[in-house]
Amino acid sequence: MTFWGNKSVLVAGGAGFIGRHLVEAVLHSGSKVYVLDDFSTGQEEPLKALDQTNLIVQNCDISQPTTLPQVDIIYNLASPASPVHYQSDPIRTWKTNILGTLQLLEAAQTYAATFVQASTSEVYGDPLSHPQKETDWGHVNPVGPRACYDESKRAAETVLMDAVRTLDADVRIARIFNTYGPGMTASDGRAIPNFVAQAKTGKALTIHGDGTQTRSFCHVSDTVAGLLRLGEVPAARGEIFNIGNSVENTILEIAQEIVALFGNGNDIVFENRPVDDPQRRRPDIKKAQDLLGWTPKVALREGLMTLLDRDEPVLADTL
Ligand SMILES: NC(=O)c1ccc[n+]([C@@H]2O[C@H](COP(=O)([O-])OP(=O)(O)OC[C@H]3O[C@@H](n4cnc5c(N)ncnc54)[C@H](O)[C@@H]3O)[C@@H](O)[C@H]2O)c1
């Protein structure tokens, strides 16, 4: 029996993009999964397509008091992740990341469960160091329009690390960098699904800024593999890890690659850059490589090919 074969696992935010892939992987291992999700950005239909034998889905807002099931491992992925969504109701974003995380942490303490937090590279803000190591304190505008997300994720990390120090809580934190893959929605405004939808429908690709800003895109299969390692490796207890791909590309390079793969000579147009948009992002993943034995495997072109022949349901809904 492997580590994952006989666990009970709660995935808050399990109806979202990364959550659904994580739920599928955990179910595949034979473990039981409870999904808690309010479906604010997540979708119920793809979960219905999974084997229901070991899957329980509950519609619930984690920022509101609720009774949580007894489990071995809690994954907290519940949070709007795209600027369009987290800025549409910033107070709600705060409540989800602060009150929701606290409630899940209390359940983890009650049940002596492992708690894996989906944090974000946004805790580094517009970073002063490059590439970003886990020891970087970040460079975040605390009152800007992105702060509801960046600062609430930072505050969640604070309370979780306080719990490690004062309660001996079994917490593991993943600072996830930009992740892409099948199942993203074009309507959420993130670069890759946006570009793919525009390329497939013959439209011009819209870049915010001049395209020289960089990101490091990680395929969702690699991100999920990293999250699973965080849950299972004892040395991850009380630690923070960058989970991302360390290959860095400009946004313009990504757009050009997507036109080459999905488009037909589409134009690329440039629009105003959002406030506080970071200029460079690349994770230093040495800690994850050393302690988790995890390294991303999927190269960008190979990863983009996983989007090639898929008729993403939501890609059609906005464009
Ligand atoms: N996708 C990325 O590139 C990326 C990068 C860094 C961090 N993350 C983190 O990973 C997690 C998942 O991201 P994603 O891309 O899958 O986002 P997503 O928006 O697709 O999924 C988030 C899920 O959380 C649910 N949710 C939101 N608020 C909730 C609440 N109050 N109660 C219950 N459920 C709630 C949504 O309905 C959705 O199913 C998030 O915590 C995000 O901050 C993602």
Side-chain angles (χ1 to χ4, degrees):
M1 180 72 68
T2 68
F3 175 88
W4 285 104
N6 59 352
K7 296 286 186 286
S8 55
V9 182
L10 188 160
V11 183
F17 161 54
I18 299 176
R20 286 196 300 276
H21 288 274
L22 178 66
V23 167
E24 193 170 356
V26 175
L27 283 177
H28 189 68
S29 75
S31 288
K32 185 178 181 105
V33 180
Y34 297 85
V35 168
L36 296 189
D37 203 295
D38 67 355
F39 303 105
S40 49
T41 59
Q43 301 165 298
E44 199 165 4
E45 285 308 311
L47 291 176
K48 287 185 180 159
L50 300 176
D51 183 349
Q52 303 293 303
T53 316
N54 285 320
L55 176 62
I56 295 167
V57 180
Q58 190 182 329
N59 187 338
C60 140
D61 176 349
I62 61 155
S63 70
Q64 301 299 318
T66 187
T67 304
L68 298 170
Q70 177 159 6
V71 291
D72 302 308
I73 304 176
I74 295 176
Y75 278 90
N76 181 20
L77 280 75
S79 167
S82 119
V84 173
H85 290 136
Y86 66 66
Q87 291 174 3
S88 71
D89 189 346
I91 307 285
R92 185 183 173 283
T93 300
W94 260 96
K95 286 184 177 166
T96 297
N97 283 327
I98 307 291
L99 303 179
T101 300
L102 267 177
Q103 175 164 226
L104 295 174
L105 172 65
E106 280 162 14
Q109 287 304 96
T110 303
Y111 301 134
T114 295
F115 187 107
V116 180
Q117 169 75 353
S119 189
T120 168
S121 58
E122 294 289 326
V123 300
Y124 299 118
D126 196 3
L128 300 175
S129 69
H130 196 77
Q132 292 79 56
K133 286 193 167 81
E134 290 85 350
T135 47
D136 185 319
W137 289 2
H139 181 231
V140 175
N141 175 357
V143 292
R146 300 172 80 99
C148 60
Y149 181 70
D150 302 4
E151 293 287 24
S152 63
K153 285 285 191 180
R154 285 164 65 92
E157 287 196 7
T158 304
V159 74
L160 291 169
M161 293 310 285
D162 281 338
V164 168
R165 283 186 291 268
T166 62
L167 305 172
D168 194 27
D170 180 359
V171 166
R172 298 120 190 256
I173 296 176
R175 288 184 181 154
I176 301 172
F177 283 62
N178 293 70
T179 295
Y180 72 99
M184 294 185 86
T185 65
S187 53
D188 77 9
R190 286 184 271 193
I192 286 186
N194 226 15
F195 291 161
V196 171
Q198 290 168 329
K200 280 184 174 176
T201 52
K203 299 194 167 149
L205 275 66
T206 44
I207 287 183
H208 298 127
D210 62 6
T212 59
Q213 68 271 34
T214 67
R215 295 293 182 271
S216 302
F217 285 100
C218 190
H219 193 259
V220 66
S221 58
D222 283 328
T223 300
V224 165
L227 291 173
L228 293 174
R229 292 295 291 158
L230 241 84
E232 70 184 87
V233 172
R237 184 173 178 147
E239 298 289 340
I240 300 175
F241 297 90
N242 287 335
I243 296 294
N245 194 310
S246 52
V247 177
E248 184 180 3
N249 290 101
T250 67
I251 292 292
L252 181 58
E253 286 167 349
I254 302 282
Q256 287 166 336
E257 183 79 15
I258 287 174
V259 170
L261 282 175
F262 299 90
N264 188 14
N266 308 53
D267 288 335
I268 295 179
V269 296
F270 300 89
E271 296 185 344
N272 288 341
R273 185 110 172 258
V275 176
D276 296 335
D277 190 41
Q279 181 60 27
R280 298 187 79 187
R281 275 286 168 71
R282 175 155 67 95
D284 182 319
I285 56 171
K286 186 169 186 316
K287 184 173 175 184
Q289 288 173 319
D290 290 350
L291 286 188
L292 304 178
W294 170 85
T295 296
K297 295 188 170 67
V298 183
L300 183 67
R301 177 165 280 232
E302 186 192 344
L304 290 173
M305 296 293 276
T306 67
L307 308 175
L308 192 56
D309 295 322
R310 298 178 72 105
D311 213 5
E312 297 297 339
V314 198
L315 286 181
D317 76 352
T318 50
L319 297 163

